[in-house]
Amino acid sequence: MLTVDCTDVEPIKHELVVYVSDQVGAIPTLKQHDFTLSPIDDNGTVNRQVVITAIKEYLNSIGEARNFAVISNSDTILIKSVSGKTIERKPKPVEQMFSCTHCGFVTQYEIEHNNHMKIHYL
């Protein structure tokens, strides 16, 4: 399991977790200032280098790659502002995000979350 500290990029945390978990093929879990990525298999691992590459790709896609460094330390990856610049976006309220407790699926729509939860009980 890897932890990605998003304290300096809080406004884009939700979009970042979706992008990175899709690229890596891992189960995301949102926390207050970070998120964790767990392997799909109990015996599997999450490739740290692939996660770092995905984070850098996402930052590059929004034009922020030069302003943030991605630092790896053991099982924690830190996204740190290089120049003290912050991302000026209004973050999505956390209460509007729904996360599946079984697999980590994240959506902003309650009806989609409820429909998704049904597949775990078939």
Side-chain angles (χ1 to χ4, degrees), residues 2-3 10 16 24-26 29 35 51 73 78-81 84 110:
L2 287 176
T3 301
E10 191 74 31
L16 181 64
V24 176
T29 305
F35 63 87
V51 173
N73 184 13
L78 173 66
I79 304 170
K80 189 73 178 160
S81 175
E110 185 176 13

Side-chain angles (χ1 to χ4, degrees), residues 4 12 15-17 54 69 83:
V4 179
I12 62 165
E15 294 90 357
L16 181 64
V17 70
S83 61

Side-chain angles (χ1 to χ4, degrees), residues 55-119:
I55 293 169
K56 288 180 179 180
E57 285 174 358
Y58 183 77
L59 290 172
N60 191 41
S61 74
I62 61 170
E64 295 290 346
R66 292 183 179 204
N67 298 320
F68 293 92
V70 182
I71 305 163
S72 175
N73 184 13
S74 185
D75 287 339
T76 303
I77 297 172
L78 173 66
I79 304 170
K80 189 73 178 160
S81 175
V82 174
S83 61
K85 181 184 178 202
T86 59
I87 294 177
E88 300 294 330
R89 282 191 187 173
K90 189 173 181 179
K92 292 182 180 178
V94 174
E95 60 271 5
Q96 289 184 1
M97 297 300 286
F98 299 93
S99 178
C100 177
T101 56
H102 300 290
C103 69
F105 173 76
V106 178
T107 182
Q108 65 180 354
Y109 305 107
E110 185 176 13
I111 190 72
E112 185 177 11
H113 175 261
N114 292 339
N115 288 335
H116 170 83
M117 291 297 286
K118 292 175 188 176
I119 68 170

